[in-house]
Amino acid sequence: GIQVEQSPPDLILQEGANSTLRCNFSDSVNNLQWFHQNPWGQLINLFYIPSGTKQNGRLSATTVATERYSLLYISSSQTTDSGVYFCAVERPIGTGTASKLTFGTGTRLQVTL
Amino acid sequence: KAGVTQTPRYLIKTRGQQVTLSCSPISGHRSVSWYQQTPGQGLQFLFEYFSETQRNKGNFPGRFSGRQFSNSRSEMNVSTLELGDSALYLCASSLAGRPYEQYFGPGTRLTVT
């Protein structure tokens, strides 16, 4: 199956700093999503970005599908940004319409004062 | 529009028992997927249902099963619980077809003692 690698595994930042999280995947995909898992376990949708660039406030993401990677940028980090960030991808499954997300192992971000 | 809901949120069971978890998708979403999250294995796909039919299944033993009702609500069942089944179980919903952005519920945290 497809492999999804995220880096770095852990990241500690001071409030106000910027960061870049990376997601590499081993095969072509037709769906890529970034999530933030809050302390209670819920996955919060950040971006649906199989290709191109999107921005939402202090967050932005870029996926270069031909080179099989995606980047999540966090600018002016805040303590509320702390948590685990997951990248998840989906590959076409035959000719059917079944769906399945494969997750990376996540980047654990801690933002300190 | 209400998000994905899951019940119960927390559950404690004894080895050998069975458990049923419930998921109500976002209104209009017809695809429901289930994922298991553990510290050792990360987030893993269990199965996906669409129009009351299982379209895709992950690599889990037959003790894990599910179903979907005509109103798109879904249940998953785990029989003969083992200690290793302790996990956060997450449900996601998306529009019909693929690929579409998946939205996750808050999860059910199952503890097996």
Side-chain angles (χ1 to χ4, degrees):
Chain A
I2 191 168
Q3 304 299 312
V4 183
E5 294 181 355
Q6 291 186 243
S7 61
D10 295 280
L11 188 57
I12 301 175
L13 298 175
Q14 272 199 319
E15 198 173 42
N18 303 328
S19 62
T20 300
L21 282 58
R22 187 176 180 102
C23 172
N24 292 334
F25 41 97
S26 61
D27 211 334
S28 59
V29 299
N30 58 358
N31 178 9
L32 188 147
Q33 292 184 241
W34 282 97
F35 298 94
H36 177 212
Q37 189 164 40
N38 68 21
W40 298 272
Q42 181 155 12
L43 290 171
I44 308 298
N45 289 47
L46 297 177
F47 293 102
Y48 169 70
I49 186 165
S51 64
T53 298
K54 291 186 177 180
Q55 181 159 5
N56 184 3
R58 296 182 297 104
L59 303 181
S60 64
T62 295
T63 297
V64 184
T66 53
E67 297 186 21
R68 299 180 185 169
Y69 73 89
S70 183
L71 302 173
L72 176 68
Y73 305 96
I74 304 174
S75 65
S76 304
S77 57
Q78 301 175 357
T79 55
T80 52
D81 295 331
S82 296
V84 184
Y85 289 79
F86 288 100
C87 164
V89 302
E90 180 179 354
R91 270 187 52 74
I93 300 176
T95 57
T97 57
S99 64
K100 164 190 173 181
L101 285 175
T102 299
F103 283 80
T105 51
T107 291
R108 185 174 300 274
L109 173 65
Q110 183 180 350
V111 181
T112 62
L113 292 172
Chain B
K1 189 182 278 191
V4 179
T5 59
Q6 292 187 246
T7 57
R9 294 293 310 280
Y10 302 92
L11 204 50
I12 300 175
K13 289 286 189 179
T14 304
R15 268 182 305 176
Q17 289 185 316
Q18 74 166 16
V19 66
T20 299
L21 313 181
S22 181
C23 171
S24 292
I26 292 171
S27 177
H29 286 192
R30 295 171 61 193
S31 168
V32 174
S33 300
W34 289 88
Y35 294 80
Q36 180 198 64
Q37 185 177 27
T38 60
Q41 299 298 318
L43 277 149
Q44 294 186 291
F45 172 79
L46 279 158
F47 29 64
E48 185 224 358
Y49 286 87
F50 175 77
S51 290
E52 303 178 63
T53 300
Q54 186 180 89
R55 290 202 300 194
N56 198 8
K57 189 178 191 307
N59 295 325
F60 280 83
R63 299 185 297 107
F64 291 81
S65 63
R67 60 177 175 168
Q68 187 181 35
F69 302 94
S70 58
N71 61 358
S72 295
R73 189 177 70 85
S74 177
E75 289 181 347
M76 67 163 283
N77 182 276
V78 188
S79 63
T80 319
L81 284 166
E82 301 177 0
L83 295 179
D85 297 333
S86 294
L88 178 66
Y89 290 88
L90 293 162
C91 164
S93 77
S94 66
L95 290 168
R98 73 165 163 83
Y100 277 109
E101 188 171 4
Q102 294 200 30
Y103 296 86
F104 283 79
T108 294
R109 193 167 296 278
L110 171 65
T111 301
V112 182
T113 62

Short mmCIF file of all heavy atoms in Angstrom, two decimals, chain A residues 30-31 33 35 37 40-43 45 47-48 86 90 92-101 103, chain B residues 9-10 31 33 35 37 43 45 48 55-56 88 90 94 97-106 109:
data_model
loop_
_atom_site.label_atom_id
_atom_site.label_comp_id
_atom_site.label_asym_id
_atom_site.label_seq_id
_atom_site.Cartn_x
_atom_site.Cartn_y
_atom_site.Cartn_z
N ASN A 30 -5.30 10.99 -5.22
CA ASN A 30 -6.36 11.86 -5.72
C ASN A 30 -7.03 12.63 -4.61
O ASN A 30 -8.02 13.32 -4.82
CB ASN A 30 -7.39 11.07 -6.53
CG ASN A 30 -8.03 9.96 -5.71
OD1 ASN A 30 -7.68 9.75 -4.56
ND2 ASN A 30 -8.96 9.24 -6.31
N ASN A 31 -6.49 12.47 -3.39
CA ASN A 31 -7.01 13.22 -2.26
C ASN A 31 -5.87 13.37 -1.25
O ASN A 31 -5.13 12.42 -0.99
CB ASN A 31 -8.19 12.48 -1.62
CG ASN A 31 -8.75 13.19 -0.39
OD1 ASN A 31 -8.39 14.32 -0.09
ND2 ASN A 31 -9.65 12.54 0.31
N GLN A 33 -5.42 15.40 2.61
CA GLN A 33 -5.99 16.27 3.62
C GLN A 33 -5.00 16.46 4.76
O GLN A 33 -4.25 15.54 5.10
CB GLN A 33 -7.29 15.68 4.19
CG GLN A 33 -8.44 15.65 3.19
CD GLN A 33 -9.73 15.16 3.82
OE1 GLN A 33 -10.30 14.15 3.42
NE2 GLN A 33 -10.24 15.88 4.80
N PHE A 35 -4.94 17.51 8.85
CA PHE A 35 -5.79 17.57 10.03
C PHE A 35 -4.96 18.02 11.24
O PHE A 35 -3.76 17.76 11.32
CB PHE A 35 -6.38 16.20 10.37
CG PHE A 35 -7.26 15.60 9.32
CD1 PHE A 35 -6.75 14.73 8.38
CD2 PHE A 35 -8.62 15.87 9.31
CE1 PHE A 35 -7.57 14.15 7.42
CE2 PHE A 35 -9.45 15.30 8.37
CZ PHE A 35 -8.92 14.43 7.43
N GLN A 37 -5.23 17.31 15.28
CA GLN A 37 -5.95 16.55 16.30
C GLN A 37 -5.89 17.30 17.61
O GLN A 37 -4.79 17.57 18.15
CB GLN A 37 -5.37 15.14 16.47
CG GLN A 37 -6.24 14.27 17.36
CD GLN A 37 -5.92 12.80 17.25
OE1 GLN A 37 -4.76 12.41 17.18
NE2 GLN A 37 -6.95 11.97 17.22
N TRP A 40 -8.63 16.37 22.79
CA TRP A 40 -9.72 15.43 23.06
C TRP A 40 -9.81 14.36 21.98
O TRP A 40 -10.68 13.48 22.04
CB TRP A 40 -11.05 16.18 23.18
CG TRP A 40 -11.00 17.14 24.33
CD1 TRP A 40 -11.32 16.90 25.62
CD2 TRP A 40 -10.57 18.50 24.27
NE1 TRP A 40 -11.12 18.03 26.38
CE2 TRP A 40 -10.66 19.03 25.57
CE3 TRP A 40 -10.12 19.34 23.25
CZ2 TRP A 40 -10.32 20.34 25.89
CZ3 TRP A 40 -9.77 20.65 23.55
CH2 TRP A 40 -9.87 21.13 24.86
N GLY A 41 -8.94 14.44 20.99
CA GLY A 41 -8.88 13.39 19.98
C GLY A 41 -9.57 13.69 18.67
O GLY A 41 -9.41 12.94 17.71
N GLN A 42 -10.35 14.74 18.61
CA GLN A 42 -11.05 15.00 17.35
C GLN A 42 -10.11 15.52 16.28
O GLN A 42 -9.23 16.34 16.55
CB GLN A 42 -12.19 16.00 17.54
CG GLN A 42 -12.95 16.27 16.24
CD GLN A 42 -14.35 16.72 16.42
OE1 GLN A 42 -14.78 17.06 17.52
NE2 GLN A 42 -15.10 16.74 15.34
N LEU A 43 -10.31 15.03 15.07
CA LEU A 43 -9.53 15.49 13.92
C LEU A 43 -10.25 16.68 13.29
O LEU A 43 -11.38 16.56 12.83
CB LEU A 43 -9.38 14.37 12.89
CG LEU A 43 -8.48 13.21 13.29
CD1 LEU A 43 -8.60 12.08 12.30
CD2 LEU A 43 -7.03 13.66 13.38
N ASN A 45 -10.46 19.39 10.36
CA ASN A 45 -10.02 19.58 8.97
C ASN A 45 -9.30 20.92 8.82
O ASN A 45 -9.83 21.96 9.21
CB ASN A 45 -11.22 19.56 8.04
CG ASN A 45 -11.83 18.18 7.90
OD1 ASN A 45 -12.04 17.51 8.90
ND2 ASN A 45 -12.10 17.78 6.67
N PHE A 47 -7.05 21.44 5.64
CA PHE A 47 -7.05 21.64 4.20
C PHE A 47 -7.39 20.34 3.48
O PHE A 47 -6.99 19.27 3.90
CB PHE A 47 -5.67 22.11 3.70
CG PHE A 47 -5.27 23.48 4.16
CD1 PHE A 47 -4.37 23.62 5.20
CD2 PHE A 47 -5.79 24.61 3.56
CE1 PHE A 47 -4.00 24.87 5.65
CE2 PHE A 47 -5.43 25.87 4.00
CZ PHE A 47 -4.53 26.00 5.04
N TYR A 48 -8.14 20.50 2.40
CA TYR A 48 -8.34 19.45 1.42
C TYR A 48 -7.56 19.93 0.21
O TYR A 48 -7.95 20.90 -0.44
CB TYR A 48 -9.82 19.29 1.11
CG TYR A 48 -10.12 18.41 -0.08
CD1 TYR A 48 -9.90 17.04 -0.03
CD2 TYR A 48 -10.60 18.95 -1.26
CE1 TYR A 48 -10.18 16.23 -1.11
CE2 TYR A 48 -10.88 18.15 -2.36
CZ TYR A 48 -10.66 16.80 -2.28
OH TYR A 48 -10.94 16.00 -3.36
N PHE A 86 -1.74 15.75 11.23
CA PHE A 86 -1.71 14.57 10.38
C PHE A 86 -1.93 14.95 8.92
O PHE A 86 -2.77 15.81 8.60
CB PHE A 86 -2.80 13.57 10.77
CG PHE A 86 -2.55 12.85 12.07
CD1 PHE A 86 -3.17 13.25 13.23
CD2 PHE A 86 -1.68 11.77 12.11
CE1 PHE A 86 -2.95 12.58 14.43
CE2 PHE A 86 -1.44 11.10 13.29
CZ PHE A 86 -2.08 11.51 14.46
N GLU A 90 -5.37 9.59 -0.17
CA GLU A 90 -6.26 8.58 -0.72
C GLU A 90 -5.83 8.29 -2.14
O GLU A 90 -5.59 9.22 -2.93
CB GLU A 90 -7.70 9.09 -0.68
CG GLU A 90 -8.72 8.13 -1.24
CD GLU A 90 -10.13 8.67 -1.16
OE1 GLU A 90 -10.34 9.74 -0.58
OE2 GLU A 90 -11.04 8.01 -1.69
N PRO A 92 -6.74 6.13 -5.77
CA PRO A 92 -7.85 5.49 -6.47
C PRO A 92 -7.82 3.99 -6.18
O PRO A 92 -6.75 3.37 -6.18
CB PRO A 92 -7.57 5.76 -7.95
CG PRO A 92 -6.61 6.89 -7.96
CD PRO A 92 -5.83 6.81 -6.70
N ILE A 93 -8.99 3.41 -5.92
CA ILE A 93 -9.08 1.97 -5.65
C ILE A 93 -9.76 1.34 -6.85
O ILE A 93 -10.99 1.39 -6.96
CB ILE A 93 -9.87 1.70 -4.36
CG1 ILE A 93 -9.16 2.38 -3.18
CG2 ILE A 93 -9.98 0.20 -4.11
CD1 ILE A 93 -9.90 2.25 -1.87
N GLY A 94 -9.00 0.78 -7.73
CA GLY A 94 -9.52 0.15 -8.94
C GLY A 94 -10.35 1.13 -9.73
O GLY A 94 -10.04 2.31 -9.83
N THR A 95 -11.45 0.65 -10.26
CA THR A 95 -12.34 1.52 -11.02
C THR A 95 -13.58 1.88 -10.21
O THR A 95 -14.48 2.53 -10.68
CB THR A 95 -12.79 0.85 -12.32
OG1 THR A 95 -13.41 -0.39 -11.97
CG2 THR A 95 -11.60 0.58 -13.23
N GLY A 96 -13.60 1.42 -8.95
CA GLY A 96 -14.77 1.70 -8.13
C GLY A 96 -14.69 3.04 -7.45
O GLY A 96 -13.83 3.86 -7.74
N THR A 97 -15.61 3.27 -6.53
CA THR A 97 -15.66 4.56 -5.86
C THR A 97 -15.41 4.44 -4.37
O THR A 97 -15.69 5.35 -3.62
CB THR A 97 -17.03 5.23 -6.09
OG1 THR A 97 -18.05 4.33 -5.64
CG2 THR A 97 -17.23 5.55 -7.55
N ALA A 98 -14.87 3.30 -3.95
CA ALA A 98 -14.59 3.15 -2.52
C ALA A 98 -13.51 4.13 -2.10
O ALA A 98 -12.66 4.52 -2.90
CB ALA A 98 -14.13 1.72 -2.23
N SER A 99 -13.57 4.54 -0.85
CA SER A 99 -12.59 5.51 -0.36
C SER A 99 -11.91 4.98 0.89
O SER A 99 -12.47 4.20 1.64
CB SER A 99 -13.26 6.85 -0.07
OG SER A 99 -14.19 6.71 0.96
N LYS A 100 -10.66 5.41 1.08
CA LYS A 100 -9.89 5.01 2.24
C LYS A 100 -8.74 5.99 2.39
O LYS A 100 -7.96 6.18 1.45
CB LYS A 100 -9.33 3.60 2.01
CG LYS A 100 -8.21 3.21 2.96
CD LYS A 100 -7.57 1.91 2.51
CE LYS A 100 -6.34 1.60 3.34
NZ LYS A 100 -5.69 0.35 2.89
N LEU A 101 -8.65 6.60 3.56
CA LEU A 101 -7.53 7.49 3.84
C LEU A 101 -6.41 6.72 4.51
O LEU A 101 -6.65 5.92 5.41
CB LEU A 101 -7.97 8.63 4.77
CG LEU A 101 -8.81 9.76 4.17
CD1 LEU A 101 -9.25 10.72 5.25
CD2 LEU A 101 -8.05 10.49 3.08
N PHE A 103 -3.08 7.45 6.69
CA PHE A 103 -2.52 8.53 7.49
C PHE A 103 -1.02 8.38 7.68
O PHE A 103 -0.48 7.27 7.77
CB PHE A 103 -3.18 8.55 8.88
CG PHE A 103 -4.56 9.13 8.90
CD1 PHE A 103 -5.65 8.37 8.51
CD2 PHE A 103 -4.77 10.43 9.30
CE1 PHE A 103 -6.93 8.90 8.53
CE2 PHE A 103 -6.04 10.99 9.32
CZ PHE A 103 -7.12 10.22 8.93
N ARG B 9 -19.28 8.51 23.86
CA ARG B 9 -17.95 9.13 23.76
C ARG B 9 -16.89 8.31 24.50
O ARG B 9 -15.74 8.26 24.09
CB ARG B 9 -18.01 10.54 24.32
CG ARG B 9 -18.88 11.52 23.53
CD ARG B 9 -18.27 11.79 22.15
NE ARG B 9 -16.87 12.16 22.24
CZ ARG B 9 -16.44 13.36 22.55
NH1 ARG B 9 -17.30 14.34 22.82
NH2 ARG B 9 -15.13 13.61 22.60
N TYR B 10 -17.29 7.69 25.58
CA TYR B 10 -16.37 6.88 26.36
C TYR B 10 -17.05 5.57 26.74
O TYR B 10 -18.26 5.54 26.97
CB TYR B 10 -15.94 7.62 27.64
CG TYR B 10 -15.29 8.95 27.38
CD1 TYR B 10 -16.05 10.12 27.34
CD2 TYR B 10 -13.92 9.04 27.16
CE1 TYR B 10 -15.46 11.34 27.09
CE2 TYR B 10 -13.32 10.26 26.91
CZ TYR B 10 -14.10 11.40 26.87
OH TYR B 10 -13.51 12.61 26.62
N SER B 31 -21.43 8.45 2.54
CA SER B 31 -20.31 7.54 2.80
C SER B 31 -19.87 7.70 4.25
O SER B 31 -19.68 8.82 4.74
CB SER B 31 -19.14 7.86 1.85
OG SER B 31 -17.98 7.18 2.26
N SER B 33 -16.99 6.10 7.00
CA SER B 33 -15.79 5.28 7.21
C SER B 33 -15.45 5.24 8.69
O SER B 33 -15.76 6.16 9.44
CB SER B 33 -14.60 5.86 6.44
OG SER B 33 -14.86 5.92 5.06
N TYR B 35 -12.26 4.39 11.55
CA TYR B 35 -10.82 4.29 11.75
C TYR B 35 -10.54 3.98 13.22
O TYR B 35 -11.28 4.40 14.11
CB TYR B 35 -10.13 5.61 11.38
CG TYR B 35 -10.21 5.95 9.92
CD1 TYR B 35 -11.36 6.54 9.38
CD2 TYR B 35 -9.16 5.68 9.05
CE1 TYR B 35 -11.45 6.84 8.03
CE2 TYR B 35 -9.23 5.99 7.70
CZ TYR B 35 -10.39 6.57 7.20
OH TYR B 35 -10.47 6.87 5.86
N GLN B 37 -7.54 4.34 16.17
CA GLN B 37 -6.29 5.01 16.51
C GLN B 37 -5.73 4.45 17.81
O GLN B 37 -6.40 4.48 18.85
CB GLN B 37 -6.47 6.52 16.64
CG GLN B 37 -5.15 7.26 16.87
CD GLN B 37 -5.31 8.77 16.92
OE1 GLN B 37 -6.36 9.28 17.27
NE2 GLN B 37 -4.25 9.50 16.55
N LEU B 43 -3.28 5.73 13.12
CA LEU B 43 -4.63 5.74 12.58
C LEU B 43 -4.74 4.72 11.46
O LEU B 43 -4.02 4.80 10.47
CB LEU B 43 -4.97 7.12 12.03
CG LEU B 43 -5.44 8.14 13.06
CD1 LEU B 43 -5.04 9.54 12.66
CD2 LEU B 43 -6.96 8.05 13.21
N PHE B 45 -7.42 2.38 8.90
CA PHE B 45 -8.74 2.26 8.29
C PHE B 45 -9.37 0.90 8.63
O PHE B 45 -8.72 -0.14 8.50
CB PHE B 45 -8.58 2.40 6.78
CG PHE B 45 -9.80 2.11 5.97
CD1 PHE B 45 -10.81 3.06 5.85
CD2 PHE B 45 -9.94 0.90 5.31
CE1 PHE B 45 -11.94 2.80 5.09
CE2 PHE B 45 -11.07 0.63 4.55
CZ PHE B 45 -12.07 1.59 4.43
N GLU B 48 -15.47 1.04 5.14
CA GLU B 48 -16.27 2.14 4.60
C GLU B 48 -17.61 1.60 4.12
O GLU B 48 -17.67 0.52 3.51
CB GLU B 48 -15.56 2.84 3.44
CG GLU B 48 -16.33 4.06 2.93
CD GLU B 48 -16.40 4.16 1.42
OE1 GLU B 48 -15.84 3.30 0.72
OE2 GLU B 48 -17.02 5.13 0.93
N ARG B 55 -18.04 -1.01 1.08
CA ARG B 55 -17.31 -0.84 -0.17
C ARG B 55 -15.84 -1.16 -0.03
O ARG B 55 -15.17 -1.45 -1.03
CB ARG B 55 -17.43 0.60 -0.68
CG ARG B 55 -18.78 0.99 -1.17
CD ARG B 55 -18.74 2.18 -2.10
NE ARG B 55 -18.17 3.38 -1.52
CZ ARG B 55 -18.29 4.58 -2.06
NH1 ARG B 55 -18.94 4.73 -3.21
NH2 ARG B 55 -17.76 5.64 -1.48
N ASN B 56 -15.32 -1.06 1.17
CA ASN B 56 -13.88 -1.24 1.35
C ASN B 56 -13.64 -1.70 2.77
O ASN B 56 -14.38 -1.33 3.69
CB ASN B 56 -13.16 0.09 1.08
CG ASN B 56 -11.68 -0.10 0.83
OD1 ASN B 56 -11.19 -1.22 0.70
ND2 ASN B 56 -10.96 0.99 0.74
N LEU B 88 -9.04 4.71 20.31
CA LEU B 88 -9.99 5.74 19.93
C LEU B 88 -10.56 5.33 18.58
O LEU B 88 -9.80 5.11 17.63
CB LEU B 88 -9.30 7.10 19.84
CG LEU B 88 -10.17 8.28 19.41
CD1 LEU B 88 -11.23 8.59 20.46
CD2 LEU B 88 -9.30 9.52 19.16
N LEU B 90 -12.73 6.39 15.43
CA LEU B 90 -13.18 7.61 14.76
C LEU B 90 -14.02 7.25 13.54
O LEU B 90 -13.70 6.33 12.79
CB LEU B 90 -11.97 8.44 14.32
CG LEU B 90 -11.13 9.04 15.45
CD1 LEU B 90 -9.76 9.45 14.95
CD2 LEU B 90 -11.85 10.23 16.06
N SER B 94 -18.45 11.55 4.22
CA SER B 94 -18.18 12.36 3.05
C SER B 94 -19.34 12.21 2.08
O SER B 94 -20.18 11.32 2.20
CB SER B 94 -16.86 11.95 2.38
OG SER B 94 -16.94 10.65 1.86
N GLY B 97 -19.46 9.23 -3.83
CA GLY B 97 -18.42 9.24 -4.84
C GLY B 97 -17.07 9.54 -4.23
O GLY B 97 -16.90 9.61 -3.03
N ARG B 98 -16.10 9.74 -5.05
CA ARG B 98 -14.75 10.07 -4.57
C ARG B 98 -13.99 10.83 -5.62
O ARG B 98 -14.28 10.71 -6.78
CB ARG B 98 -14.02 8.80 -4.18
CG ARG B 98 -13.60 7.98 -5.35
CD ARG B 98 -12.58 6.93 -5.00
NE ARG B 98 -12.50 5.94 -6.04
CZ ARG B 98 -11.77 6.10 -7.13
NH1 ARG B 98 -11.06 7.19 -7.31
NH2 ARG B 98 -11.75 5.15 -8.04
N PRO B 99 -12.93 11.54 -5.29
CA PRO B 99 -12.57 11.73 -3.89
C PRO B 99 -13.28 12.95 -3.33
O PRO B 99 -13.46 13.94 -4.00
CB PRO B 99 -11.07 11.98 -3.97
CG PRO B 99 -10.88 12.66 -5.29
CD PRO B 99 -11.95 12.12 -6.21
N TYR B 100 -13.71 12.86 -2.12
CA TYR B 100 -14.32 13.97 -1.44
C TYR B 100 -13.70 14.13 -0.06
O TYR B 100 -13.27 13.17 0.54
CB TYR B 100 -15.84 13.78 -1.29
CG TYR B 100 -16.61 14.17 -2.52
CD1 TYR B 100 -17.21 13.21 -3.31
CD2 TYR B 100 -16.77 15.50 -2.86
CE1 TYR B 100 -17.93 13.57 -4.43
CE2 TYR B 100 -17.50 15.87 -3.98
CZ TYR B 100 -18.07 14.90 -4.77
OH TYR B 100 -18.80 15.25 -5.86
N GLU B 101 -13.71 15.37 0.41
CA GLU B 101 -13.17 15.66 1.72
C GLU B 101 -13.93 14.87 2.78
O GLU B 101 -15.16 14.79 2.75
CB GLU B 101 -13.28 17.15 2.00
CG GLU B 101 -12.59 17.61 3.26
CD GLU B 101 -12.55 19.13 3.36
OE1 GLU B 101 -13.13 19.79 2.48
OE2 GLU B 101 -11.94 19.63 4.32
N GLN B 102 -13.17 14.28 3.69
CA GLN B 102 -13.78 13.52 4.77
C GLN B 102 -13.77 14.35 6.05
O GLN B 102 -12.81 15.05 6.36
CB GLN B 102 -13.02 12.20 5.00
CG GLN B 102 -13.15 11.25 3.82
CD GLN B 102 -12.86 9.82 4.17
OE1 GLN B 102 -13.09 9.39 5.30
NE2 GLN B 102 -12.35 9.07 3.21
N TYR B 103 -14.88 14.25 6.79
CA TYR B 103 -15.06 14.99 8.04
C TYR B 103 -15.23 13.99 9.18
O TYR B 103 -16.02 13.05 9.07
CB TYR B 103 -16.29 15.89 7.96
CG TYR B 103 -16.17 16.97 6.93
CD1 TYR B 103 -16.50 16.73 5.59
CD2 TYR B 103 -15.72 18.24 7.27
CE1 TYR B 103 -16.37 17.73 4.63
CE2 TYR B 103 -15.59 19.25 6.32
CZ TYR B 103 -15.92 18.98 5.02
OH TYR B 103 -15.80 19.97 4.07
N PHE B 104 -14.48 14.23 10.26
CA PHE B 104 -14.45 13.27 11.35
C PHE B 104 -15.31 13.70 12.54
O PHE B 104 -15.46 14.89 12.82
CB PHE B 104 -13.02 13.06 11.83
CG PHE B 104 -12.22 12.18 10.93
CD1 PHE B 104 -11.68 12.67 9.74
CD2 PHE B 104 -12.02 10.83 11.23
CE1 PHE B 104 -10.96 11.85 8.89
CE2 PHE B 104 -11.29 10.00 10.39
CZ PHE B 104 -10.77 10.51 9.22
N GLY B 105 -15.82 12.69 13.23
CA GLY B 105 -16.53 12.91 14.48
C GLY B 105 -15.55 12.99 15.64
O GLY B 105 -14.34 12.85 15.45
N PRO B 106 -16.07 13.20 16.85
CA PRO B 106 -15.21 13.37 18.02
C PRO B 106 -14.59 12.07 18.53
O PRO B 106 -13.67 12.11 19.34
CB PRO B 106 -16.16 13.95 19.07
CG PRO B 106 -17.49 13.44 18.67
CD PRO B 106 -17.49 13.37 17.17
N ARG B 109 -13.85 6.67 22.78
CA ARG B 109 -12.66 6.10 23.42
C ARG B 109 -13.06 4.84 24.16
O ARG B 109 -13.80 4.90 25.15
CB ARG B 109 -12.02 7.11 24.37
CG ARG B 109 -10.62 6.71 24.81
CD ARG B 109 -9.89 7.85 25.49
NE ARG B 109 -9.63 8.99 24.62
CZ ARG B 109 -8.61 9.08 23.78
NH1 ARG B 109 -7.75 8.09 23.68
NH2 ARG B 109 -8.44 10.17 23.05
#
